[in-house]
Amino acid sequence: MAQRLALQRLLWLPTRGPLASHGRAFGTSAGRRSTFNVQDGSDFQDRVVNSPKPVVVDFHAQWCGPCKILGPRLEKLVAKQEGKVLMAKVDIDDHTDLAIEYEVSAVPTVLAMKNGDVVDKFVGIKDEDQLEAFLKKLIGA
């Protein structure tokens, strides 16, 4: 019985705690590292404005239907860029101050930021080809 319990613990170990990513697919963990939710204004300043990498900023809302389509589509394409670009997700209901500061009047609004400056922007939903072109332009590829 003790051996069985030890074996169960051993088998479950890779799916819990800090070692969890070692037992999972690379694409999933890479996507999680390149996409993050903005927590507050100082987090936005640190992780977006001061980022050494280009950042795609997705201003969205929980109640927004098109946002629910665009968000995962954009996350998938950002993950495919293998760390060349990051994606910050900003819920406009939680961070109204950021939405006002960046003149977001409709959702989804997506900004492309490089060296702390907005270099491109679109409002509304886009297909994958348009999103790939948007990312390539931001990365400079």
Side-chain angles (χ1 to χ4, degrees):
M1 183 68 162
Q3 288 176 335
R4 184 176 175 194
L5 197 55
L7 183 59
Q8 284 178 334
R9 285 185 185 143
L10 182 63
L11 292 175
W12 282 97
L13 181 62
T15 60
R16 296 185 194 159
L19 299 176
S21 64
H22 294 294
R24 306 240 168 116
F26 293 126
T28 303
S29 60
R32 287 190 182 140
R33 282 195 304 268
S34 60
T35 300
F36 58 91
N37 291 312
V38 171
Q39 303 302 312
D40 55 33
S42 65
D43 186 42
F44 186 87
Q45 184 71 30
D46 292 343
R47 296 172 81 182
V48 177
V49 176
N50 296 333
S51 175
K53 294 182 181 182
V55 183
V56 173
V57 185
D58 176 19
F59 284 93
H60 68 279
Q62 294 294 322
W63 45 263
C64 168
C67 298
K68 293 176 183 181
I69 296 168
L70 179 67
R73 189 180 288 173
L74 196 51
E75 283 181 50
K76 181 178 108 180
L77 293 174
V78 165
K80 283 175 61 177
Q81 301 305 314
E82 300 175 341
K84 294 178 189 167
V85 64
L86 302 175
M87 179 174 167
K89 299 180 73 162
V90 180
D91 187 318
I92 63 162
D93 292 326
D94 294 338
H95 306 293
T96 311
D97 54 334
L98 289 172
I100 292 168
E101 181 179 347
Y102 287 92
E103 300 175 355
V104 175
S105 57
V107 287
T109 293
V110 177
L111 306 180
M113 296 187 69
K114 201 178 240 184
N115 302 318
D117 296 323
V118 177
V119 295
D120 205 355
K121 171 182 180 175
F122 70 83
V123 179
I125 198 161
K126 301 282 184 195
D127 64 31
E128 285 196 22
D129 291 342
Q130 293 169 315
L131 293 174
E132 281 182 4
F134 181 80
L135 290 175
K136 284 182 181 177
K137 182 177 172 188
L138 174 60
I139 295 168

